[in-house]
């Protein structure tokens, strides 16, 4: 159960990394994405080589978490230095707060078969949407999508 929770945190870091990587994509500097992902993968592989024999397979979730976290930090520092970009911490914080009820639900769920897993995922999605609406995060995301569509139509 602890490994599932760590894996979920890894997914959150991966989501944040994908958001940060949009800066590289929009500025057509996608090679930086490759370099950072390669660096993160090397960290993950090295940590697995060092720690798996001693601590077993469960340590792989932690090494993945460390590599994603490192990738996020490196990406943030490089973007901040290159573009003098200001990050909207309030929006990121609201997104993470919206994830907390879903995280608690997923962590406490008992899943014994694929049907229960699908049901739990659907319930978790509903919980996230409700949390996002309560926090006001969904409204800003919808506005962003609408504005992006308008820009693409021009």
């Amino acid at each position: 159960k602890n490994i599932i929770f760590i894996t979920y945190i890894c997914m959150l870091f991966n989501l944040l990394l994908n958001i940060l990587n949009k800066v590289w994509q929009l500025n057509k500097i996608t090679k930086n994405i490759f370099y950072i992902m390669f660096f993160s993968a090397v960290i993950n592989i090295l940590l697995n080589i060092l720690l798996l024999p001693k601590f077993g397979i469960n340590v792989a979730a932690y090494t993945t978490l460390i590599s994603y976290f490192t990738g996020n930090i490196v990406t943030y520092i490089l973007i901040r230095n290159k573009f003098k970009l200001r990050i909207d911490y309030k929006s990121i914080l609201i997104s993470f707060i919206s994830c907390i009820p879903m995280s608690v639900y997923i962590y406490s769920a008992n899943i014994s078969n694929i049907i229960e897993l699908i049901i739990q995922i659907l319930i978790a999605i509903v919980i996230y949407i409700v949390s996002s609406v309560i926090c006001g995060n969904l409204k800003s995301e919808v506005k962003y999508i609408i504005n992006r569509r308008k820009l693409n139509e021009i």
Side-chain angles (χ1 to χ4, degrees), residues 35-120:
Y35 295 137
I36 294 166
M37 296 305 289
F38 184 78
F39 174 72
S40 294
V42 168
I43 289 173
N44 197 5
I45 291 167
L46 290 175
L47 288 173
N48 280 332
I49 290 170
L50 293 171
L51 300 175
L52 273 173
K54 185 172 184 176
F55 298 104
I57 191 69
N58 290 339
V59 81
Y62 293 98
T63 60
T64 302
L65 178 63
I66 291 167
S67 67
Y68 277 140
F69 180 76
T70 305
N72 275 284
I73 296 299
V74 169
T75 301
Y76 172 74
I77 290 169
L78 291 174
I79 288 172
R80 187 188 66 198
N81 291 342
K82 175 135 179 98
F83 299 105
K84 306 297 183 222
L85 187 66
R86 291 178 43 114
I87 305 286
D88 183 4
Y89 293 108
K90 181 182 176 188
S91 177
I92 293 171
L93 180 64
I94 289 172
S95 293
F96 276 109
I97 290 171
S98 297
C99 289
I100 290 172
M102 180 179 67
S103 302
V104 170
Y105 176 76
I106 289 172
Y107 185 70
S108 64
N110 289 324
I111 301 169
S112 60
N113 60 50
I114 191 72
I115 294 173
E116 286 181 8
L117 175 64
I118 293 169
I119 291 170
Q120 300 299 341

Side-chain angles (χ1 to χ4, degrees), residues 109-154:
N110 289 324
I111 301 169
S112 60
N113 60 50
I114 191 72
I115 294 173
E116 286 181 8
L117 175 64
I118 293 169
I119 291 170
Q120 300 299 341
I121 290 171
L122 293 174
I123 292 171
I125 290 169
V126 170
I127 291 171
Y128 176 75
I129 290 171
V130 170
S131 299
S132 294
V133 169
I134 291 170
C135 290
N137 194 36
L138 194 62
K139 186 177 180 180
S140 63
E141 289 177 8
V142 170
K143 281 183 184 178
Y144 174 78
I145 291 169
I146 290 171
N147 288 334
R148 290 287 294 169
R149 283 191 169 201
K150 287 179 184 177
L151 288 174
N152 289 338
E153 291 174 0
I154 296 176

